[in-house]
Amino acid sequence: MSDSKIRNMEEFAALSGVSRPTVSKYFNDPESVRASIRTKIEAALEHHDYRPNIFAVNQNRKLTKNIGIIVPYLADPFFAEIARRIETLVIAEGFRPILLSSHGDTNLEVSNLEALRQIKPAAVLLAPLGRTSDRQAIMDFCDNVPTVNFDSNIEGAGEAFIGHNNVQATDVMIQYLTRTGEPPVFFEMRTPPNPNAIKRRNAYLAAMERLGHTPQLIQAEGEGWNLEEIGYETAKRAITNKELSTNTVFCSNDRLAIGFLSAAYELGVKVGHAEGCSLRVAGHDNHPFSRYTCPTLTTISHNYDLIATRSVEIVMSMIESEQRLEERPTTLLDGELIMRASA
Amino acid sequence: MSDSKIRNMEEFAALSGVSRPTVSKYFNDPESVRASIRTKIEAALEHHDYRPNIFAVNQNRKLTKNIGIIVPYLADPFFAEIARRIETLVIAEGFRPILLSSHGDTNLEVSNLEALRQIKPAAVLLAPLGRTSDRQAIMDFCDNVPTVNFDSNIEGAGEAFIGHNNVQATDVMIQYLTRTGEPPVFFEMRTPPNPNAIKRRNAYLAAMERLGHTPQLIQAEGEGWNLEEIGYETAKRAITNKELSTNTVFCSNDRLAIGFLSAAYELGVKVGHAEGCSLRVAGHDNHPFSRYTCPTLTTISHNYDLIATRSVEIVMSMIESEQRLEERPTTLLDGELIMRASA
DNA sequence: TATTATTTTTAACGCGCGTAAAGAAAAAAA
DNA sequence: TTTTTTTCTTTACGCGCGTTAAAAATAATA
C-alpha cells in the first residue's frame, strides 16, 4: 500500500491506466466493466487506497446508497435490538444505514425526517412515535421518499407496514393464563405512546368478553418513555390498595412488567406460577432483559429477527423494482408464547 | 407557504432579492450579514421553504457540520443512554450527530471509522471496543480527524480522554462493602471486552491487599457482549459449587450483576443487605435497569450526564479553537455510591 | 456634505464526479 | 479475414454551492 495520496478520480484513473468515465462506471457497478479492465482497477486499488468522494457522488445521483432508519426511542433495548439487526442486514445488502432516534420527541422525529429527505436515501425504514407523531409530516415525507413503516402503524403511511399481530398475541396469552389459573387483569398506560398498546387493550377486552370473564384495566397515568418507572409506581399503588381483582396480571409490555416485578418484590409479594406464589405476571414483547428478571418473565415473543428481515426484504424489493407498491401490504407477525417462571 | 419548488440557491437568491454569494454567507452564519438583508432572506424563507443542498455544501467545505459518534454496542442500554445525551447536546450546539454502533465487531468498528472519515466530520466522539479494537486503524483515524476518546481508553488515541475513575469507584464500593459486612469476592469476565474491567480488577486486588483481606476472583469464561447470560451461567455454577469465599459479591459491571441476581433468584438464594439474606451483590455502572432489579442493585454510578457533557464540551472547544490540543488531557470522573437493597 | 469603513453585487472559477455523444478499440460472430 | 457488436476513450457539460477579486452600494464617521 503506497502512501501516495490521490485527490480525485482523475488521478486514480491515470494511475490505473483506465479512463475516468470507465472508473466511474466501475464504482457504480464493478460487473459492468470488462474483466480485464476490472483487474486493472482493482490492482490499482490495492496500491493506492482511493474511494470516490461521497458528497460529489451523491450530488450527481438522484438516489444514494443510503437507507434511513428511524426509531422512536433508541435507549429502549427493544428498538436498539431491532435497529442492530436491520443495520446488519442493510450493510449485507451493500447499502449504508443511517440510524436516527426520535428520542420520544415529536419535533425531533420531524427533523429526522427532514434530515433524511436531504440525504436522498434509496429508502427509509420508519418506526414512528405513534400517537404523538406529526401525521401530516410523515405523510408528506412518505410521498417523497419510498418508506416502509414498521412497529407502529400510521395508517396510510409508507408503502408497506410490518408489525405485530397484537390480537393473536394477546389472545394466546389470555388463553394460556386462563387455562392455567385466574383470568388476567390488564396493566397498561392510560395514554400509551405506542398504538400497539391500544390494539392490545382492545384485544384484551374482546377476548375477556368472548371468554365470559370480567375485564379489569389498571391504567398508569404517566406520559413518556420511562416505562419501568411508570410501571413500578402504578404497581406499587395497585398492590398496596388491593386493586387487582384477580391474582394474574397481563402487562401491555415487558418494560411495564419489569417495573411491576420490581414493585412486587419490594412489597414482598411472591410472583410466579409455582406453588406458594400469590401473583402471576406476564408481559408482552420478549424484551432482551425479560430473560433475567426475577422471576423470569413469561411473555409473548415478537420475533426481532423476522421483523427486521421482512422490513429489509420489502425495502430491497422496492429499491430493485424502482417503483412504488400499488397497494400497501400489511404484514402482521404472530407472537409466540414464552413460558417462563412469572406466570 | 407557497409550494413553488426552488431548485437551487440561485433561484432562491433571485426570489429573496439578494445576491447568491450573500445568501451563501447567510446560511453559513446568519449573523454575518446586515440586518436588513437578513430580514429579506428570512422573509423569503417563510414563503419558499428552501435549504441548501447538503451534498453540494459539504463538497466545498473542508469540514462539515457533522459530528460522528461511535459506540461499541448500541444495544447495551448504557451506551444507548450516553449516545442519547450526546446527540441531544450536539444538536443543541447546532451540529448534526451521526451515530454509529460497532455492534461489538472489530471490522465494523474499522468500517465505521472509514465511513466517518469520508464524511469529513468536524469532530468525532469515539467509544472504542477496547481490547478487540484495531489500534492501528484508530490511531490512523485520529491523525486525520479531531477525535475525543471516551469510555474505553485507547492510550494515545484522540485529543483527549473522558472516562471513569475506576480506581476511586472500586475503592469506594470495597470500603462500603467491608464496613457493612464481609469483604467482597470480585465477579468478572476472564477476558473482558472493555479495558475498564481490567482497571477494576486491578483496583480490587490492590484495595483488598491494602485492607489486609484475601482477594478472590470469580472469572466467567465467555466472550462477547451478552453479559447477562455470561453472568447468569457463571453465577449459577459458582453458587451451586459454593465457590464464593465470602457472602459478598462485587460485580465488575451491572449487566453481569443482573445475570448474577437472576441466577441467585432461581437458586432460591436470598440477596440483600437486610436481615435474612444470605448474599450481598453489588454492581458497577448504574445501568438504567439497575433501579428495577430484584432486589434493587447497589452500585456505583457513573454520571451519564457528566460524561456526555464533558465529552461534548471538549469537542466543541476543539472545533472552536480550530487546533489540536498539544497534550492529551485525561478526565476521570468519580463514581458515586448508590446504596440500594442488594448490598 | 465629504470621507472612510463596511457590506453587497457582479463575474467567474473550482470542487469531484455523473453522464452523454462521437469516435476508436477490442471482442465476438460471420 | 471481414463484419458486427460491445466496450472503452475522448471531450465536454452540468450538478449546487464555496469562494475570491474587483466594482458598486450602503452605512458610519468626521
Side-chain angles (χ1 to χ4, degrees):
Chain A
M1 179 77 73
S2 115
D3 46 285
S4 59
K5 295 284 170 192
I6 293 168
R7 305 192 160 277
N8 53 37
M9 196 180 276
E10 196 79 53
E11 279 187 32
F12 175 75
L15 283 168
S16 59
V18 177
S19 74
R20 189 180 70 74
T22 306
V23 171
S24 170
K25 201 151 170 262
Y26 168 85
F27 278 108
N28 281 315
D29 176 12
E31 299 300 314
S32 69
V33 302
R34 210 149 48 201
S36 59
I37 297 282
R38 194 159 54 233
T39 314
K40 275 188 182 178
I41 294 177
E42 282 165 0
L45 269 179
E46 287 192 11
H47 291 280
H48 296 291
D49 167 47
Y50 159 81
R51 60 187 66 187
N53 179 304
I54 196 169
F55 298 112
V57 168
N58 286 337
Q59 179 172 24
N60 294 312
R61 267 215 267 262
K62 297 134 228 168
L63 255 39
T64 67
K65 276 276 188 178
N66 297 326
I67 290 190
I69 307 163
I70 299 187
V71 296
Y73 202 86
L74 197 48
D76 183 329
F78 177 81
F79 289 111
E81 191 59 34
I82 288 206
R84 185 175 75 81
R85 293 179 195 229
I86 291 180
E87 277 198 322
T88 307
L89 292 169
V90 163
I91 291 171
E93 294 280 351
F95 286 77
R96 236 174 66 75
I98 314 271
L99 176 59
L100 301 175
S101 164
S102 304
H103 297 324
D105 178 3
T106 307
N107 294 325
L108 193 50
E109 185 173 80
V110 172
S111 60
N112 278 343
L113 292 171
E114 285 173 0
L116 278 188
R117 198 184 315 207
Q118 280 192 43
I119 287 175
K120 297 185 283 189
V124 166
L125 291 150
L126 170 65
L129 292 172
R131 185 173 53 80
T132 55
S133 281
D134 181 338
R135 192 169 192 288
Q136 192 53 53
I138 289 181
M139 295 305 283
D140 283 357
F141 178 81
C142 293
D143 284 346
N144 292 295
V145 182
T147 303
V148 166
N149 179 196
F150 72 100
D151 186 64
S152 274
N153 195 0
I154 302 274
E155 207 53 64
E159 309 301 303
F161 175 71
I162 296 97
H164 316 301
N165 189 343
N166 292 296
V167 173
Q168 171 271 343
T170 304
D171 279 2
V172 166
M173 180 59 87
I174 290 174
Q175 284 253 356
Y176 167 75
L177 291 175
T178 51
R179 287 182 184 205
T180 52
E182 299 182 11
V185 165
F186 197 67
F187 186 80
E188 60 162 358
M189 291 170 77
R190 187 182 302 283
T191 51
N194 191 299
N196 287 311
I198 310 284
K199 297 233 172 66
R200 290 171 191 180
R201 174 196 300 164
N202 294 334
Y204 165 79
L205 293 173
M208 291 293 277
E209 175 147 14
R210 198 170 58 245
L211 295 170
H213 301 300
T214 328
Q216 185 195 2
L217 301 178
I218 305 270
Q219 297 186 315
E221 290 298 342
E223 290 276 340
W225 289 80
N226 195 181
L227 306 188
E228 292 83 9
E229 183 62 25
I230 290 168
Y232 169 82
E233 290 294 346
T234 308
K236 211 161 132 182
R237 195 205 63 210
I239 295 173
T240 308
N241 300 350
K242 301 193 197 314
E243 294 174 23
L244 305 170
S245 60
T246 81
N247 73 358
T248 303
V249 179
F250 182 13
C251 300
S252 179
N253 64 66
D254 284 355
R255 294 183 62 193
L256 287 174
I258 288 170
F260 195 109
L261 290 180
S262 183
Y265 185 92
E266 190 177 313
L267 295 170
V269 175
K270 195 113 192 267
V271 172
H273 73 287
E275 206 63 30
C277 296
S278 55
L279 204 56
R280 299 192 304 162
V281 175
H284 198 148
D285 279 346
N286 197 21
H287 188 287
F289 281 29
S290 64
R291 167 74 190 78
Y292 304 101
T293 54
C294 302
T296 56
L297 188 63
T298 289
T299 186
I300 292 280
S301 163
H302 283 297
N303 197 317
Y304 295 78
D305 247 331
L306 207 54
I307 200 169
T309 311
R310 286 297 260 286
S311 304
V312 173
E313 267 173 20
I314 294 185
V315 156
M316 288 304 154
S317 72
M318 277 168 52
I319 293 175
E320 274 177 38
S321 73
E322 283 181 12
Q323 60 190 9
R324 304 300 187 87
L325 280 48
E326 52 274 8
E327 312 167 58
R328 181 173 183 272
T330 292
T331 311
L332 294 184
L333 301 174
D334 278 1
E336 189 189 339
L337 179 65
I338 310 285
M339 281 181 281
R340 290 199 278 241
S342 72
Chain B
M1 178 76 71
S2 116
D3 46 286
S4 59
K5 294 283 169 191
I6 293 169
R7 304 190 160 279
N8 53 37
M9 194 179 276
E10 196 79 52
E11 279 187 34
F12 176 75
L15 283 168
S16 59
V18 177
S19 74
R20 189 180 69 76
T22 307
V23 171
S24 170
K25 202 153 171 260
Y26 168 86
F27 277 108
N28 281 313
D29 176 12
E31 299 299 315
S32 70
V33 303
R34 209 145 51 199
S36 58
I37 298 281
R38 194 158 54 234
T39 313
K40 278 187 180 178
I41 295 177
E42 281 163 1
L45 269 180
E46 288 191 10
H47 291 279
H48 296 291
D49 168 46
Y50 158 81
R51 60 188 66 188
N53 178 303
I54 197 170
F55 298 113
V57 168
N58 285 337
Q59 180 173 25
N60 295 310
R61 270 214 264 263
K62 296 137 230 168
L63 255 40
T64 67
K65 276 276 188 179
N66 298 325
I67 289 190
I69 306 165
I70 298 186
V71 295
Y73 202 85
L74 198 47
D76 182 329
F78 177 81
F79 289 112
E81 192 59 34
I82 288 205
R84 185 175 74 80
R85 295 180 193 228
I86 290 181
E87 276 197 322
T88 307
L89 292 169
V90 163
I91 291 171
E93 294 279 351
F95 286 76
R96 235 174 66 74
I98 314 270
L99 176 59
L100 302 174
S101 164
S102 305
H103 298 321
D105 177 3
T106 306
N107 294 325
L108 193 49
E109 185 173 81
V110 172
S111 60
N112 279 344
L113 292 171
E114 284 172 2
L116 278 188
R117 199 186 314 210
Q118 279 192 44
I119 286 174
K120 296 185 283 189
V124 166
L125 290 150
L126 169 66
L129 291 172
R131 185 173 54 82
T132 55
S133 283
D134 180 338
R135 193 169 193 286
Q136 193 53 52
I138 290 181
M139 297 304 285
D140 283 356
F141 178 81
C142 294
D143 284 346
N144 292 296
V145 182
T147 303
V148 166
N149 179 196
F150 73 100
D151 186 63
S152 274
N153 195 1
I154 302 274
E155 206 54 65
E159 309 301 302
F161 174 72
I162 296 97
H164 317 300
N165 189 342
N166 293 295
V167 173
Q168 172 270 345
T170 305
D171 279 1
V172 166
M173 180 57 88
I174 290 175
Q175 283 255 353
Y176 166 77
L177 292 174
T178 51
R179 287 182 184 205
T180 53
E182 296 182 11
V185 165
F186 196 67
F187 187 80
E188 60 162 358
M189 294 170 77
R190 187 182 301 283
T191 52
N194 191 299
N196 287 311
I198 309 285
K199 297 232 173 66
R200 290 171 190 178
R201 174 196 299 165
N202 293 334
Y204 165 80
L205 294 173
M208 291 292 277
E209 174 147 17
R210 200 171 55 246
L211 295 170
H213 301 301
T214 327
Q216 186 195 0
L217 302 179
I218 306 271
Q219 297 186 313
E221 289 299 340
E223 289 275 340
W225 289 79
N226 195 181
L227 306 188
E228 292 83 8
E229 183 61 25
I230 290 168
Y232 169 82
E233 290 294 347
T234 309
K236 210 160 133 184
R237 195 205 62 210
I239 295 172
T240 308
N241 300 349
K242 302 194 195 313
E243 293 175 22
L244 305 170
S245 60
T246 80
N247 73 0
T248 303
V249 179
F250 182 14
C251 299
S252 181
N253 63 67
D254 283 355
R255 294 183 62 193
L256 287 174
I258 287 169
F260 196 108
L261 289 180
S262 182
Y265 186 92
E266 190 176 315
L267 295 172
V269 175
K270 195 110 191 268
V271 172
H273 72 288
E275 207 64 28
C277 297
S278 57
L279 203 57
R280 298 192 303 164
V281 175
H284 198 148
D285 280 345
N286 197 23
H287 189 286
F289 281 28
S290 64
R291 166 75 190 78
Y292 304 101
T293 54
C294 301
T296 57
L297 188 63
T298 289
T299 187
I300 292 280
S301 161
H302 282 295
N303 196 316
Y304 295 76
D305 246 331
L306 207 54
I307 201 170
T309 311
R310 286 297 261 285
S311 303
V312 174
E313 267 174 20
I314 295 184
V315 157
M316 289 303 155
S317 73
M318 275 169 51
I319 293 175
E320 276 178 36
S321 73
E322 283 181 11
Q323 59 190 11
R324 303 302 187 83
L325 280 48
E326 53 274 5
E327 310 166 61
R328 181 174 183 271
T330 294
T331 311
L332 295 183
L333 301 174
D334 277 2
E336 189 189 340
L337 180 65
I338 310 286
M339 280 181 282
R340 290 198 280 241
S342 72

